[in-house]
Amino acid sequence: MKYILILLLSVFVSNAQIQKEQLDLMPWPQKIDLGTGTFALNKNFKVNITANPNSRIFIGATSFLRRLDNRTGLFLPQNFLTQINESPEAELQINCGSAGKIEINENESYELIVTSSKITLNAPNDLGALHGLETLLQLLQNNSTSYYFPTVSITDAPRFTWRGLMIDASRHFQPVAVIKRNLDAMAAMKMNVFHWHLADDQGWRIQIKKLPKLTDLGSNGNFYSQEEIKDIVRYADERGILVVPEIDIPGHASALLAAYPEIGSKVDNGIGSYAIQTNSGIYNAVLDPTNPKTYQLLEEIFDEVCPLFPGAYFHIGGDENNGKEWASNPRIQEFMKKNKFSGKHDLQTYFNMKLIPMLKKHSKKLMGWEEIMTDNMSKDAIIHAWRGVNEGLQPGESLIKAAKSGYNTVLSNGFYIDLMLSIATHYQNESLSKNALLSPEEKARILGGEAAMWSELATPLNIDSRIWPRTAAIAERLWSNENVNDLQSLYKRLKTISFRLEEVGITHIRNKEVILRNISNNQNTIALNDFSNVCEPLKNYKRNGGGKKYRMHSPLTLFADACTVDASDAIDFNFAVKKYLDNKNIENEVVVTNFFRKWIKMNTDLIIVSSNAPLVQPLLPLSQKLSEISEQLLLLIEKKQNSDKSKLNILIEQANIRNDADVELAVLSGIKLLL
Amino acid sequence: MKYILILLLSVFVSNAQIQKEQLDLMPWPQKIDLGTGTFALNKNFKVNITANPNSRIFIGATSFLRRLDNRTGLFLPQNFLTQINESPEAELQINCGSAGKIEINENESYELIVTSSKITLNAPNDLGALHGLETLLQLLQNNSTSYYFPTVSITDAPRFTWRGLMIDASRHFQPVAVIKRNLDAMAAMKMNVFHWHLADDQGWRIQIKKLPKLTDLGSNGNFYSQEEIKDIVRYADERGILVVPEIDIPGHASALLAAYPEIGSKVDNGIGSYAIQTNSGIYNAVLDPTNPKTYQLLEEIFDEVCPLFPGAYFHIGGDENNGKEWASNPRIQEFMKKNKFSGKHDLQTYFNMKLIPMLKKHSKKLMGWEEIMTDNMSKDAIIHAWRGVNEGLQPGESLIKAAKSGYNTVLSNGFYIDLMLSIATHYQNESLSKNALLSPEEKARILGGEAAMWSELATPLNIDSRIWPRTAAIAERLWSNENVNDLQSLYKRLKTISFRLEEVGITHIRNKEVILRNISNNQNTIALNDFSNVCEPLKNYKRNGGGKKYRMHSPLTLFADACTVDASDAIDFNFAVKKYLDNKNIENEVVVTNFFRKWIKMNTDLIIVSSNAPLVQPLLPLSQKLSEISEQLLLLIEKKQNSDKSKLNILIEQANIRNDADVELAVLSGIKLLL
């Protein structure tokens, strides 16, 4: 009887008016007018496409149908959509006038109108229509037995034209399947630029047919064939995504120089003395800008790489050249003197400027990390702003400087997701708004931003959980209105958004369980899972201890790899503590003390699991500390014992020390509040 | 204190002598001499390779190291192994005389000797060495803090030379990543033939450059490029696996004929009247063997396909041609009369014989499903035996007939894993042993067997759970001695083996959770998981109700897709019932009754979940029945009430009726025993 009541109640709830706040949309659209009715989804639901788009919308609409029936279990009738006006009677009408161009500043707007009997999606081109389909999927609601859309009218368009994700495929190679599923997730979040970091000290990852040594000697066999590159570019195009390749030069060139040491800057011209790097860090290996062979080889590379990427941009890296090899090579010093170069920056600008015509030949614009922004650099270059507080600059400082100096610019400072910082950090990245003093012309030069996923500690197994769901918040920052910035709303919507990313193949949830099963040695993972929900990987590259702990072939199947930023129980606990301190009633107290009981039990269970699981051993000191802290706090709160606060403080301090698990307790802030 | 005791205890246990029965090896080696000591694995562990193999063993040994450090968390020092005698002092010495050939009847033996200070792996070639590395990985043991190998001496070689897995990439396209991870799992189970079903009524999946219409009109855009084929063949080669392509002709040809209707057998020559099929089943579409253009086109196809596959075998299908189009085409009937063909089999033999020289040109032998075995068929052909009881034949009948008739033959009857039959069914497939009456020469013609994974109901999301872990049992049947057949030992070892398949990327465990999360609409999945552990998908193609329920684009994200054969709780429950009936003591009773309490609670929880999850609704009638049966049985057992058995029988009968969840309760056999 009780359950019948629940059922009835839920039917009742489902018929109640949906509030805008209930919608789990991300990025949040520019304008939503919510009606009071519903459009009921049933198994006869069909899609029709009109106007004159390219094949992109047929692929997108087919994929929309498959995601809809996979999610709902409805056996929708349409298979592959292939023709215009195939089903004029269809409930969903997609009108997209023309084929969108995969380029910056293309119109990506759309209008979505759901009435109780019809859904209309209008867009000037298929790119907007694809965005509209993602919004429609996010609008889907259900009661206990069926699915429906709320009646609504949405008009939407992005705030910034450049909404990117960079994936580093050099430090750890990321196979085609990893890239494709992340392109799908990007499309779901209306992101439109995939920046592909293809070469660095740890590996050269793109086949160059004329220069096979690059992959023979620079990749350990892990690279993309040109066919695979084309396949991914096509796959991205079908999802409305521009691919920007990056070949990082003149620094970060160990892998390139392992193949062609003769264009390196070592005094002996480096023959045989460069090698692929297997640690993290910044290396000396740098191309020789004074050697004509350098440009000859680069031109051969560009001549093969550029035609693979139809987009207008080519990223040449240009970052973190320490100049040491240049400084210690007398021939290069002589060259600089002769040319009256005041320092390594002048030499690098000289080098960069030589690249521009090579790229121009292929109608490509040069893009580079902000180090390329020197006095003499061409204003045609796009400046990729990445440095900030860690590098002694103000947040957004380089972005503003670039815009004021006349450069188009893209922001990644504040969007380095490999730093393992909280979603709030990225969501509240205000640099894009610090443009009060910019002229409209200068403002227009800020194209947008990019999440940057460096892969020193990211493998195909764990990379999705490093990118997602935090990148969804970055996508919203770049798409939605500046004043869409409520953290509670973000957290709430993210629960659904993160779950739905599984639908497009993102493995952030499932692979966590794989890692925990491995750690547990196939035992029960409940305690490990509980512990992972209060621990976060060490932040700001601390996990890798100056790049010395993990080499590129070190295991990344450890507890820290199962843990993620924004540990879920930690968020809940820290929130519960604040609520309890606001009002020390018994309900609020129990919520807090139940966490302590859970952690005491968890520690006990972890000890049991550890008896047959060596990989659990490194976690025990920390879980033991948490258990002891919990016991003390239970005494303090429940028994009102004036427990020994200094003992507690010592425990907390000990829990704060770097441990062999390479994680930090994310509940310490809440715990400290209780003292 | 309690936990310190547990720890001490476990250290004590770990130092105890390992028994052979404790080893989770699969397939079980031919000869094992277990010592009493251990080889301790530590972070300095290295591998050295001697003799003169090809690059295969370097790739394999590198992968061995990565799996070892991913599993143990040890930071092993070696990165990519590339040279012979790189680390002569290494603890593991691999000696493999030469490069193995990827062909049938190649020597795959190895010898593995573990002493307390050294591990030696000897093999005549690198193929045997790769198998030895898999055995070594399976030998790894641990105590609470560290890892070790038992001292042991193993000599091993396969019983059959053909140990295959067929994957149907036509019904549902299976992307490169799916194929690669399954090749890795095959290698882990010492399987050596990947049979790739590339064309059928539902899709043509291989690029033919000279005939682009095949994929333009026959694939809906889902096909392998020739570069991808080459990549997979190379990947398989690196793992010691032969790839056998299949182009299914003259029947199963709807997709081919959708592109080239002019070589079909329809009266009107079919122009425009063939289409890719979107349902399961057997279709009429068949090539016209009387049309010279047919052979011209096939030759063009073979000329492109054969060079992609260096192996000696080419599978031409040849199955399930119903002959209807031939029968109703007067021109074809006339041709048969003129040639004095007695029926469709003669015409098909005529067709098949025309293929042999086309394949011979590329040094390929023709292989086909058993229907090709007609009186006039060349004895060079390899007969793939698949029919059995369901087709009115005795198990193994065709295999014996083929061997007696002078054909080399491979068995798939009894290994159709898409039938969703229990692991015991496949493990106890005795057909390979029914050779008592065969001469040694005839016996030698039985090359081995193949698990057959047809994909009408298998997508990239669920296919791994259809293939694994059952195919591991088939691998053992084909590798190990005939008398290795203890089911309890199989089940016991499989718990570890199945878990370790995650290590090579198999998704059977993780994707189950993905499907359940989708069904639950992101709610708690405990009850759904409990229910999935007593339910199995309908068997023998009943799920698809004569091929009519599911089309190729229907959702396969349903409860039945999360369920697997050999439902784990059902096995435990049915076993517990037998134990209880043998001895009705209170311990045995509680084990049984706890299941009933669990299922009553589960049903309650499912109802709660269903209030926000339409996909749970179809499960409720069945879980409700199980709950009611459980209540009745609790009364019967605990209260010794003479409960109404006829009521129970009716409930059980009702639980046996086909339901909308497309699953069956796997606990009914145990329940019936209790009555």
Side-chain angles (χ1 to χ4, degrees), chain A residues 160 399-400 403 408-409 432 435 438 442-448:
Chain A
F160 289 106
L399 187 81
I400 301 302
N408 280 332
T409 182
L432 292 164
N435 49 16
L438 296 184
E442 288 165 349
K443 272 186 199 175
R445 293 193 190 114
I446 298 181
L447 302 178

Side-chain angles (χ1 to χ4, degrees), chain A residues 315-364:
Chain A
H315 202 301
I316 57 97
D319 55 321
E320 297 182 323
N321 166 24
N322 63 20
K324 286 186 185 167
E325 287 190 359
W326 290 351
S328 54
N329 185 325
R331 198 172 36 71
I332 293 175
Q333 288 302 310
E334 184 59 32
F335 180 90
M336 287 172 68
K337 216 163 120 187
K338 208 171 78 186
N339 285 275
K340 305 206 167 71
F341 290 163
S342 65
K344 68 169 183 170
H345 296 295
D346 284 354
L347 183 57
Q348 189 158 342
T349 305
Y350 167 84
F351 170 81
N352 291 339
M353 295 297 285
K354 298 267 259 181
L355 306 181
I356 290 177
M358 293 186 202
L359 294 171
K360 209 163 209 166
K361 184 170 101 185
H362 297 285
S363 309
K364 295 275 187 284

Side-chain angles (χ1 to χ4, degrees), chain A residues 35-299:
Chain A
T36 57
T38 59
F39 173 98
L41 183 70
N42 66 46
K43 66 180 170 48
N44 302 314
F45 180 81
K46 281 192 176 181
V47 180
N48 190 51
I49 297 161
T50 60
N52 201 16
N54 78 355
S55 66
R56 208 181 283 135
I57 189 64
F58 294 103
I59 294 166
T62 300
S63 155
F64 164 85
L65 283 172
R66 292 295 78 77
R67 282 163 68 191
L68 201 57
D69 56 20
N70 282 341
R71 192 189 292 185
T72 62
L74 292 169
F75 285 59
L76 302 180
Q78 288 173 305
N79 192 356
F80 290 90
L81 301 173
T82 52
Q83 285 174 48
I84 288 169
N85 268 329
E86 208 169 323
S87 313
E89 79 294 356
E91 292 86 350
L92 169 56
Q93 294 288 332
I94 303 175
N95 310 305
C96 42
S98 62
K101 295 202 184 83
I102 304 295
E103 62 185 24
I104 294 308
N105 291 323
E106 174 64 307
N107 189 335
E108 296 181 78
S109 69
Y110 68 93
E111 175 192 50
L112 179 64
I113 301 151
V114 181
T115 70
S116 59
S117 60
K118 191 135 199 120
I119 303 174
T120 311
L121 173 55
N122 299 313
N125 61 52
D126 46 15
L127 302 178
L130 291 178
H131 293 320
L133 287 174
E134 296 293 346
T135 301
L136 186 55
L137 278 168
Q138 292 182 353
L139 279 172
L140 187 71
Q141 308 291 315
N142 66 277
N143 56 31
S144 61
T145 56
S146 58
Y147 296 89
Y148 60 94
F149 298 104
T151 57
V152 69
S153 174
I154 291 177
T155 51
D156 202 8
R159 177 180 172 206
F160 289 106
T161 188
W162 190 295
R163 306 176 307 282
L165 168 65
M166 186 216 73
I167 293 181
D168 171 7
S170 173
R171 272 56 179 256
H172 281 93
F173 181 65
Q174 307 294 340
V176 170
V178 174
I179 304 299
K180 283 190 175 176
R181 70 188 186 226
N182 277 286
L183 288 168
D184 280 311
M186 285 176 67
M189 292 301 118
K190 301 185 171 64
M191 300 179 82
N192 68 338
V193 178
F194 170 51
H195 167 183
W196 204 354
H197 188 79
L198 287 163
D200 212 305
D201 293 303
Q202 292 80 0
W204 179 275
R205 305 301 184 198
I206 175 169
Q207 177 190 32
I208 305 295
K209 291 178 179 174
K210 216 172 162 184
L211 304 165
K213 279 206 281 179
L214 280 169
T215 43
D216 286 352
L217 303 175
S219 80
N220 288 310
N222 290 322
F223 63 91
Y224 306 103
S225 71
Q226 293 194 1
E227 289 299 317
E228 286 173 325
I229 299 265
K230 282 185 218 164
D231 182 41
I232 283 180
V233 168
R234 178 194 52 72
Y235 195 87
D237 180 292
E238 287 168 3
R239 283 145 189 83
I241 295 171
L242 169 75
V243 185
V244 176
E246 177 183 350
I247 304 291
D248 202 349
I249 43 178
H252 287 277
S254 300
L256 194 167
L257 293 174
Y260 292 97
E262 59 268 32
I263 62 166
S265 300
K266 280 195 178 165
V267 180
D268 60 357
N269 256 13
I271 308 296
S273 61
Y274 290 97
I276 299 174
Q277 299 296 342
T278 61
N279 277 83
S280 302
I282 297 173
Y283 294 94
N284 300 342
V286 62
L287 306 190
D288 180 356
T290 72
N291 184 347
K293 275 192 198 158
T294 300
Y295 302 102
Q296 196 181 316
L297 192 119
L298 288 177
E299 184 142 29

Side-chain angles (χ1 to χ4, degrees), chain A residues 585-597:
Chain A
N585 67 21
I586 187 69
E587 287 81 12
N588 289 345
E589 182 184 308
V590 167
V591 176
V592 171
T593 54
N594 275 348
F595 275 107
F596 298 135
R597 271 181 283 274

Side-chain angles (χ1 to χ4, degrees), chain A residues 3 70 502 513 517 557 604, chain B residues 3 70 502 513 557 604:
Chain A
Y3 307 108
N70 282 341
E502 286 210 303
E513 294 164 343
R517 269 193 291 277
T557 50
T604 304
Chain B
Y3 308 107
N70 282 341
E502 286 209 304
E513 294 163 346
T557 49
T604 303

